[in-house]
């Protein structure tokens, strides 16, 4: 567990093929590593560097800029409570206080059983449903203290396993984009790509009309 | 109050159907007919239609979409299209709805835009924290490829384009268009200096690039199906068509509403669509256009949701984020929430932004924790003035991107309007010598002090 496994390596190569330049796939590949291990390991970053053709330091540089990438293990469930403006005025601080009491941990830490990591988050684009939270980036709206307790009980009992995969998985596999080889146009055209054919056709038609009228 | 009955241009399908995200429902409800219409025109004609419709970008800055497409230098190829689905401005909630619940409409919009611009490839950049949107867009793209709408020789024509789904990893600043491009190149998401890095000239891989918002794209299928005139007939002045507004906070029915742009007023939305203030309390203030916008008050309720009118009144419509605060709101804490956001999300490249927002947050924390000194108020405003001199609107820019200068407005609003709220924390009166100049930064007008909110017109 560290480098991408063969199945994920295959998927990584496919993702790299979606872009004109391999480095563009860096963030999706880091997500893939986090999906595999629950966090981003050093070994995975070295592997990603090899796949993309940059140095491990460059991968680390990108990785550390983004909030979602964890460099150390977190709980199976990452619970992010929104502290944005709409949630703040609708009781986010009180909800965060309740969550800390209910879980017996402070924001930024993980329950001793490794189930739940609690964090504060900025606006989650659900402001009309305040106060809200996300569990592994799946939403819960207009959350009361009782809702929170019920959610924790369900997470612990496994009742939400089908809906909420462990930390690291965003889109579940059946819903990922796959460009079919026979339908795709092909990436790139970085160097030497000229005017697109449909643009050229219309330009030439307009010019021909211009010269005859 | 009468709100005009208007077609729901971008939310009609998802309002009527729970399965609007499937290709079957999409095709059964005019889906991909806008694309077919576009392919019957030349690319230049499509651009002309979008220009005539006067579709303004919905990402915040409100730049006319058709005009932006025309900025790519002629004969420089390849060109790229990058769609901004990074929605994270506090209070903003609209693009996520469109991506989760009507993803094909966004895809069809992208196909129309890329045809008109002449792009070699399109990228749909979705915010990282939106797992459901990733699934819906991924599945929709797979369906659209299989059906021949995306990829090689679209609908049997010589128009070919790939749309690559891309997703971020948590960084608000990546919503800024040049940071979005950096991030899409696999780098730390830090904004680039403009000039020279205007996306139209030197964007993705330093090629001409158009960056447009998700909601902007979602309007295109309707415009192509119904024509520029039908779109332009809705709205007023520079603000045409409809727009999505998320009304959150202390209203009875918070929600995202598509209303006629340019003519609907804040009162229509807050007291009409959203049922007024919870508990029939008085309105204290509202944020008209996201965390960066100067606050509005009761006297602004009858302003239309029109770009120029709101700008002239000293604020902006921004990304359609209206946050309503009733009389019980602790506005000092509300302002701290906004400032904390900017301090947290500063990318750290520019000193006024990195240091200034951090100091603003520290001073506000100190005041809220009961350890503030009366002279902190002047210090706070002095920091604001250093980030954006003269504390005016639109804010003077001192930084690479507009994030830093977006932090002072909420503080300036509260200091001018509710000085007594700071005095309560400080336990003392304070004097401010740093001038505050924005047109919306006004003390409470004596006349309206006793007028209750909520009178319906
Ligand atoms: C700090 C900052 C954050 C931004 N965030 C977003 C965003 O999340 N989504 C978006 O569409 N535009 C955002 N913008 C605006 C973009 O830079 C760009 O103007 C917009 O995507 C262009 O699309 P439009 O012309 O269709 O509106 C942001 C701008 C700044 C300065
Ligand atoms: S203004 Fe702030 S966020 Fe924008 S580039 Fe400068 S430091 Fe980064
Ligand atoms: S403020 Fe919490 S979702 Fe926007």
């Amino acid at each position: 567990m560290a480098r991408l496994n063969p199945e994920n390596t295959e998927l990584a190569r496919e993702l790299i093929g979606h872009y004109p330049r391999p480095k563009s796939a860096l963030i999706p590949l880091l997500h893939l590593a986090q999906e595999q291990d629950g966090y981003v390991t050093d070994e995975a970053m070295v592997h990603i560097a090899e796949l993309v053709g940059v140095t491990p330091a460059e991968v680390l540089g990108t990785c550390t800029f983004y909030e979602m990438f964890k460099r150390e293990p977190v709980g199976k469930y990452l619970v992010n409570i929104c502290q944005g403006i709409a949630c703040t005025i609708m009781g986010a601080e009180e909800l965060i206080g309740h969550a800390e009491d209910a879980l017996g941990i402070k924001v930024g830490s993980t329950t001793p059983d490794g189930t739940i990591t609690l964090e504060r988050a900025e606006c989650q684009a659900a402001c009309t449903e305040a106060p809200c939270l996300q569990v592994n980036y799946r939403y819960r709206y207009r959350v009361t203290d009782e809702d929170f307790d019920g959610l924790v009980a369900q997470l612990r009992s496994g009742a939400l396993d089908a809906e909420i995969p462990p930390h690291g998985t965003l889109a579940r596999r059946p819903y990922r984009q796959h460009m079919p080889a026979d339908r795709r146009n092909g990436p790139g055209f970085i160097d030497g790509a000229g005017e697109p054919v449909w643009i050229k056709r219309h330009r030439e038609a307009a010019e021909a009309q211009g010269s005859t009228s | 109050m009468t709100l005009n009955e208007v077609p729901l241009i971008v939310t009609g399908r998802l309002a009527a159907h729970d399965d609007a995200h499937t290709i079957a429902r999409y095709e059964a409800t005019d889906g991909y007919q806008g694309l077919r219409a576009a392919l019957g025109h030349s690319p230049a004609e499509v651009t002309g239609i979008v220009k005539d419709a006067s579709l303004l970008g919905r990402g915040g800055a409100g730049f006319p979409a058709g005009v932006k497409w025309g900025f790519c230098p002629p004969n420089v190829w390849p060109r790229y299209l990058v769609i901004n689905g990074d929605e994270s401005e506090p209070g903003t909630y609209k693009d996520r709805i469109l991506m989760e619940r009507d993803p094909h409409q966004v895809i069809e919009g992208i196909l129309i835009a890329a045809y008109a611009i002449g792009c070699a490839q399109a990228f749909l950049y979705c915010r990282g924290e939106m797992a459901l949107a990733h699934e819906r867009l991924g599945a929709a793209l797979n369906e659209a490829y299989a059906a021949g709408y995306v990829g090689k020789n679209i609908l049997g024509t010589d128009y070919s384009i790939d749309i690559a789904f891309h997703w971020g990893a948590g960084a608000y600043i990546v919503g800024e268009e040049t940071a979005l491009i950096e991030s899409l190149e696999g780098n730390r998401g830090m904004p680039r200096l403009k000039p020279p890095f205007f996306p139209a000239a030197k964007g993705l891989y330093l090629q001409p690039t158009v960056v447009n918002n998700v909601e902007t794209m979602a309007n295109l299928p309707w415009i192509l199906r119904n024509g520029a005139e039908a779109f332009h007939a809705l709205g007023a002045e520079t603000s045409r068509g409809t727009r999505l507004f998320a009304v959150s906070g202390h209203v009875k029915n918070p929600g995202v509403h598509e209303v006629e742009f340019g003519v609907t007023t804040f009162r229509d939305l807050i007291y009409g669509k959203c049922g007024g203030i919870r508990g029939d309390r008085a309105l204290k203030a509202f944020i008209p256009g996201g965390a960066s916008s100067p606050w509005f008050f009761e006297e602004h309720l009858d302003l239309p949701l029109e770009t120029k009118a709101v700008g002239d009144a000293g604020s902006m419509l921004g990304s359609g984020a209206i946050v309503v605060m009733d009389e019980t709101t602790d506005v000092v804490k509300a302002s701290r929430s906004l400032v904390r956001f900017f301090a947290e999300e500063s990318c750290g490249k520019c000193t006024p932004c990195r240091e200034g927002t951090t100091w603003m947050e520290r001073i506000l924390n100190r005041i809220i924790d009961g350890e503030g000194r009366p002279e902190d108020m002047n210090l706070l405003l002095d920091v604001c003035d250093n980030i954006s001199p003269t504390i005016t609107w639109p804010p003077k820019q001192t930084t690479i991107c507009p994030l830093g200068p977006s932090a002072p407005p909420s503080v300036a609003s509260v200091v001018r309007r509710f000085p007594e709220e700071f005095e309560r924390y400080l336990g003392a009166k304070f004097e401010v010598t740093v001038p505050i100049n924005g047109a919306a930064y006004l003390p409470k007008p004596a006349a309206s002090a006793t007028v209750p909110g909520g009178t319906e017109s």
Side-chain angles (χ1 to χ4, degrees), chain B residues 108-131:
Chain B
E108 187 179 353
I110 295 172
L111 294 168
I112 293 167
Y115 172 77
I117 300 162
C119 296
Q121 195 175 342
F123 300 88
L124 173 47
Y125 190 131
C126 182
R127 182 174 171 183
E129 293 98 326
M130 298 177 174

Coordinates of all heavy atoms in Angstrom, one line a residue, chain B residues 108-131:
Chain B
E108 N -24.1 20.8 -23.1 CA -24.6 21.4 -24.4 C -24.1 22.8 -24.5 O -23.7 23.2 -25.6 CB -26.1 21.3 -24.4 CG -26.6 21.7 -25.8 CD -28.1 21.6 -26.0 OE1 -28.8 21.1 -25.1 OE2 -28.6 22.1 -27.1
G109 N -24.1 23.6 -23.4 CA -23.6 24.9 -23.5 C -22.1 25.0 -23.9 O -21.7 25.8 -24.7
I110 N -21.4 24.1 -23.3 CA -19.9 24.0 -23.6 C -19.7 23.7 -25.1 O -18.9 24.3 -25.8 CB -19.2 22.9 -22.7 CG1 -19.3 23.4 -21.3 CG2 -17.8 22.7 -23.2 CD1 -18.8 22.3 -20.3
L111 N -20.5 22.8 -25.6 CA -20.4 22.4 -27.0 C -20.7 23.6 -27.9 O -20.0 23.8 -29.0 CB -21.3 21.2 -27.3 CG -21.0 19.9 -26.6 CD1 -22.1 18.9 -26.8 CD2 -19.7 19.3 -27.2
I112 N -21.7 24.4 -27.6 CA -22.0 25.5 -28.4 C -20.9 26.6 -28.3 O -20.5 27.1 -29.4 CB -23.4 26.1 -27.9 CG1 -24.5 25.1 -28.2 CG2 -23.6 27.5 -28.6 CD1 -25.8 25.5 -27.4
A113 N -20.4 26.8 -27.1 CA -19.4 27.8 -27.0 C -18.1 27.4 -27.7 O -17.5 28.2 -28.5 CB -19.1 28.1 -25.5
A114 N -17.7 26.1 -27.6 CA -16.5 25.7 -28.2 C -16.6 25.7 -29.7 O -15.6 26.0 -30.4 CB -16.1 24.3 -27.7
Y115 N -17.8 25.4 -30.2 CA -18.0 25.5 -31.7 C -17.8 27.0 -32.1 O -17.1 27.2 -33.1 CB -19.4 25.0 -32.0 CG -19.8 25.2 -33.4 CD1 -19.4 24.4 -34.4 CD2 -20.7 26.3 -33.8 CE1 -19.7 24.6 -35.7 CE2 -21.1 26.5 -35.1 CZ -20.6 25.6 -36.1 OH -21.0 25.8 -37.4
A116 N -18.4 27.9 -31.4 CA -18.3 29.3 -31.8 C -16.9 29.8 -31.8 O -16.4 30.6 -32.6 CB -19.2 30.2 -31.0
I117 N -16.2 29.5 -30.7 CA -14.8 30.0 -30.5 C -13.8 29.3 -31.4 O -12.8 29.9 -31.8 CB -14.4 29.8 -29.0 CG1 -15.4 30.6 -28.1 CG2 -13.0 30.3 -28.7 CD1 -15.4 30.2 -26.6
G118 N -14.0 28.0 -31.6 CA -13.1 27.2 -32.4 C -12.0 26.6 -31.5 O -10.8 26.7 -31.7
C119 N -12.5 25.9 -30.5 CA -11.6 25.3 -29.5 C -11.1 23.9 -29.9 O -11.8 23.2 -30.5 CB -12.2 25.3 -28.1 SG -12.6 26.9 -27.5
A120 N -9.9 23.6 -29.5 CA -9.3 22.3 -29.7 C -9.7 21.3 -28.6 O -9.8 20.1 -28.8 CB -7.8 22.4 -29.7
Q121 N -10.0 21.8 -27.4 CA -10.4 21.0 -26.3 C -11.1 21.9 -25.3 O -10.8 23.0 -25.1 CB -9.3 20.2 -25.7 CG -9.8 19.0 -24.9 CD -8.7 18.2 -24.3 OE1 -7.5 18.2 -24.8 NE2 -9.0 17.4 -23.3
A122 N -12.1 21.3 -24.5 CA -12.7 22.0 -23.5 C -12.5 21.2 -22.2 O -12.4 20.0 -22.1 CB -14.2 22.1 -23.7
F123 N -12.4 22.0 -21.1 CA -12.2 21.4 -19.8 C -13.3 21.9 -18.8 O -13.5 23.1 -18.8 CB -10.8 21.8 -19.2 CG -9.7 21.3 -20.1 CD1 -9.2 22.1 -21.1 CD2 -9.1 20.1 -19.9 CE1 -8.2 21.7 -22.0 CE2 -8.1 19.6 -20.7 CZ -7.7 20.4 -21.8
L124 N -13.9 21.0 -18.1 CA -14.9 21.4 -17.2 C -14.3 21.2 -15.8 O -14.1 20.1 -15.3 CB -16.2 20.5 -17.4 CG -17.3 20.6 -16.4 CD1 -17.7 22.1 -16.1 CD2 -18.5 19.9 -17.0
Y125 N -14.0 22.3 -15.1 CA -13.3 22.3 -13.9 C -14.3 22.4 -12.7 O -14.9 23.5 -12.5 CB -12.3 23.4 -13.8 CG -11.3 23.3 -12.6 CD1 -9.9 23.4 -12.8 CD2 -11.8 23.1 -11.3 CE1 -9.0 23.4 -11.8 CE2 -10.9 23.1 -10.3 CZ -9.5 23.2 -10.5 OH -8.6 23.1 -9.4
C126 N -14.6 21.3 -12.0 CA -15.6 21.3 -10.9 C -14.9 21.4 -9.6 O -13.8 20.8 -9.4 CB -16.4 20.0 -11.0 SG -17.7 19.9 -9.8
R127 N -15.5 22.1 -8.7 CA -14.9 22.2 -7.3 C -14.7 20.8 -6.8 O -15.5 19.9 -7.0 CB -15.8 23.0 -6.4 CG -15.3 23.2 -5.0 CD -16.2 24.1 -4.2 NE -15.8 24.1 -2.9 CZ -16.4 24.8 -1.9 NH1 -17.5 25.5 -2.2 NH2 -16.0 24.7 -0.6
G128 N -13.6 20.6 -6.0 CA -13.3 19.3 -5.5 C -14.3 18.7 -4.6 O -14.5 17.5 -4.5
E129 N -14.8 19.6 -3.7 CA -15.7 19.1 -2.6 C -17.1 18.7 -3.0 O -18.0 18.7 -2.2 CB -15.7 20.2 -1.5 CG -14.4 20.5 -0.8 CD -13.7 21.7 -1.4 OE1 -13.8 21.9 -2.6 OE2 -13.1 22.4 -0.6
M130 N -17.4 18.5 -4.3 CA -18.7 18.3 -4.7 C -18.8 16.9 -5.3 O -19.0 16.7 -6.6 CB -19.1 19.3 -5.8 CG -19.1 20.8 -5.2 SD -19.5 21.9 -6.6 CE -19.6 23.5 -5.6
A131 N -18.8 15.9 -4.5 CA -18.8 14.5 -5.0 C -20.0 14.2 -5.9 O -19.8 13.5 -6.9 CB -18.7 13.5 -3.8

